[in-house]
């Protein structure tokens, strides 16, 4: 196992959600040797995960996220891993959403998040990457392969449409995400949870509660702690008929 692969495996166990601060500490400790290596797929994905970890901390660090995002983008580009390029650039759409919400000064629950057409436009442009031939590069089932990228795009488009209140279109995007998520256990659960948010906001509260409960049970079996935490919060909200639902995206 190469040093790059070994570091990636360690970071992937921690980032972005299990221990984001620990992942960043480990990444910083190994940055000198990572920077000295020729660009390679494992280091590219390590940098992408660390950019997400910077946002997932209790106190999000957007400057550090941008530094790791740029490091990832350089390595994805130079290794020809264009699905990784798209996965990194996708963050620009969520930057636009953050700007539309004044850095979420009112919070990140769906009752206060304002949708952004600019964010949706940015994301839609990345559909061009799905027209290109697959790069064939992957370092693991969660890294941005062609199928993972397709799921990312449809799933996140569903969320952005949901935030804009365009529920029929949001449901359609989540349905597309469900098709391409087949065979990816985490992806399947995450899409199911997102689609349940659409159902709830469309008035199908009992259906949404049942779907969320079943999906959280599956997340427990998969040990997907971030999905479990958000899902359990949303179950409580749905049971009382509230509106302060939490999204399953990193904002």
């Amino acid at each position: 196992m190469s040093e790059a692969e070994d570091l990636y495996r360690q970071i992937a166990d921690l980032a972005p959600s299990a221990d984001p601060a620990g992942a960043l500490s480990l990444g910083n400790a190994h940055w000198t040797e990572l920077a000295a290596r020729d660009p390679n797929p494992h280091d590219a994905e390590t940098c992408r995960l660390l950019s997400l970890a910077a946002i997932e901390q209790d106190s999000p660090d957007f400057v550090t996220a941008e530094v790791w995002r740029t490091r990832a983008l350089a390595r994805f580009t130079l290794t020809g891993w264009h699905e990784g390029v798209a996965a990194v650039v996708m963050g620009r759409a969520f930057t636009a959403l953050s700007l539309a919400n004044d850095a979420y000064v009112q919070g990140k629950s769906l009752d206060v998040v304002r949708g952004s057409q600019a964010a949706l436009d940015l994301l839609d442009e990345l559909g061009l990457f799905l027209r290109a031939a697959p790069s064939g590069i992957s370092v693991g089932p969660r890294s941005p392969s062609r199928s993972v990228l397709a799921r990312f795009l449809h799933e996140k488009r569903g969320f952005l449409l949901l935030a804009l209140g365009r529920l029929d279109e949001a449901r359609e995007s989540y349905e597309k995400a469900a098709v391409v998520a087949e065979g990816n256990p985490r992806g399947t659960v995450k899409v199911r949870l997102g689609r349940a948010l659409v159902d709830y906001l469309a008035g199908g509260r009992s259906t949404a509660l049942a779907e969320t409960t079943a999906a959280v049970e599956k997340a427990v079996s998969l040990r997907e702690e971030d999905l479990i935490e958000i899902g359990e919060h949303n179950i409580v909200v749905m049971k009382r008929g509230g509106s302060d639902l939490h999204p399953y995206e990193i904002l």
Side-chain angles (χ1 to χ4, degrees), residues 41-218:
H42 284 99
D43 283 342
E45 181 65 351
T46 290
C47 293
R48 186 182 76 87
L49 291 175
L50 290 172
S51 73
L52 297 174
I55 300 172
E56 279 279 79
Q57 295 181 106
D58 292 335
S59 297
D61 186 341
F62 295 102
V63 173
T64 296
E66 186 61 26
V67 170
W68 284 108
R69 188 179 293 129
T70 301
R71 290 167 173 171
L73 184 60
R75 286 161 178 79
F76 280 127
T77 300
L78 292 171
T79 56
W81 193 352
H82 62 75
E83 295 93 346
V85 172
V88 172
V89 175
M90 198 177 294
R92 303 295 186 191
F94 285 86
T95 297
L97 185 66
S98 177
L99 290 172
N101 286 272
D102 301 317
Y104 305 107
V105 66
Q106 294 185 352
K108 296 181 179 181
S109 57
L110 294 182
D111 55 337
V112 296
V113 169
R114 299 189 298 272
S116 166
Q117 182 62 46
L120 182 61
D121 290 343
L122 284 165
L123 190 71
D124 281 348
E125 199 61 29
L126 298 179
L128 290 171
F129 283 84
L130 297 181
R131 301 184 196 174
S135 69
I137 301 173
S138 175
V139 297
R142 295 190 185 183
S143 65
S145 64
R146 174 64 171 273
S147 61
V148 169
L149 176 61
R151 195 255 296 175
F152 281 174
L153 289 175
H154 292 311
E155 179 186 23
K156 294 178 192 315
R157 190 171 193 274
F159 168 70
L160 293 177
L161 286 163
L162 180 153
L164 286 165
R166 292 157 59 177
L167 300 183
D168 288 343
E169 293 173 83
R171 182 178 288 107
E172 182 180 352
S173 280
Y174 276 116
E175 294 294 346
K176 291 178 179 178
V179 172
V180 295
E182 290 182 5
N184 183 312
R186 175 184 168 84
T188 299
V189 171
K190 190 164 179 279
V191 170
R192 190 176 181 184
L193 289 166
R195 187 171 51 195
L197 293 178
V198 178
D199 291 337
Y200 185 84
L201 294 178
R205 292 184 175 180
S206 60
T207 298
L209 178 57
E211 276 292 287
T212 301
T213 300
V216 168
E217 289 175 357
K218 183 62 176 177

